[in-house]
Amino acid sequence: MNSVLKEKANKVKLFITDVDGVLTDGRIILGNNGEELKFFHVHDGKGIQLAHEAGIKTAIITGRESKLVERRAEELSIKEVHQNIKDKIKVFNNVLDKYNVIEEEVAYIGDDVNDLDILERVGLSFTPANGVKKVKEVVDYITTKEGGQGAVREAIELILEYQDE
């Protein structure tokens, strides 16, 4: 057991995730008629559900915008969804204020440099196994799973495991 991770995980009240490369595998399929497809993994959905059952609030902050993200968030009962965000840290601060939590009570999973500002401020930070090198250098935990392949579930299960001990 990692005592530092346990201490950080025990404080988590809010779990925030990026989408592309985290909840999805990062691929964006564009059809001839303008349709967009993304791959989501059911394990991640169950992880979000487990977080909710444990009383952990969830949120999405993503730089892209897609109706698919709205639909998936609705399926998973994620009420806090912020899309097309260029200044993620501003939205992050607003979400913290809304839920009356401090940075140390937040876990965040992101995979790319646009997530660094948040990853460096939260209490517990994650990146999928295929996150970029700069992100891997600053996070608390690199999941064994890749984005869109259960990385979110793995992160949430780690939090819940440490909170249950």
Side-chain angles (χ1 to χ4, degrees):
M1 173 181 59
N2 183 321
S3 60
V4 173
L5 279 179
K6 178 176 174 49
E7 182 180 327
K8 290 180 174 205
N10 273 316
K11 296 177 183 175
V12 172
K13 296 179 180 175
L14 173 63
F15 183 88
I16 305 175
T17 182
D18 180 32
V19 175
D20 295 307
V22 179
L23 274 176
T24 75
D25 62 7
R27 294 183 294 169
I28 299 166
I29 298 120
L30 300 174
N32 287 332
N33 297 319
E35 67 271 18
E36 181 177 317
L37 300 174
K38 296 175 187 274
F39 294 96
F40 294 97
H41 201 292
V42 295
H43 289 174
D44 291 326
K46 183 63 173 177
I48 296 288
Q49 180 186 350
L50 293 171
H52 291 161
E53 289 171 3
I56 296 173
K57 302 216 180 307
T58 58
I60 290 173
I61 301 176
T62 181
R64 290 183 47 87
E65 185 161 5
S66 169
K67 290 191 183 309
L68 296 171
V69 172
E70 287 177 30
R71 179 175 169 198
R72 185 65 173 149
E74 188 176 307
E75 289 175 353
L76 300 176
S77 299
I78 301 173
K79 310 254 185 288
E80 199 69 35
V81 181
H82 301 274
Q83 297 193 75
N84 198 25
I85 304 302
K86 303 305 173 225
D87 184 358
K88 285 189 173 188
I89 203 72
K90 181 179 178 185
V91 172
F92 169 76
N93 288 328
N94 290 339
V95 171
L96 266 60
D97 288 345
K98 179 176 180 177
Y99 290 98
N100 195 30
V101 295
I102 57 175
E103 292 174 352
E104 291 78 24
E105 297 171 328
V106 179
Y108 184 87
I109 183 167
D111 69 316
D112 214 333
V113 293
N114 60 328
D115 298 305
L116 283 171
D117 287 344
I118 297 176
L119 288 166
E120 292 172 338
R121 290 180 58 181
V122 295
L124 183 55
S125 57
F126 297 91
T127 195
N130 59 332
V132 300
K133 183 178 182 226
K134 281 189 173 190
V135 171
K136 287 180 175 180
E137 291 171 352
V138 303
V139 297
D140 296 305
Y141 188 89
I142 301 167
T143 65
T144 60
K145 304 281 189 187
E146 293 190 354
Q149 298 295 317
V152 168
R153 169 79 171 266
E154 182 179 338
I156 289 170
E157 284 186 340
L158 182 135
I159 293 166
L160 296 178
E161 178 181 321
Y162 281 131
Q163 287 186 353
D164 282 345
E165 286 183 4

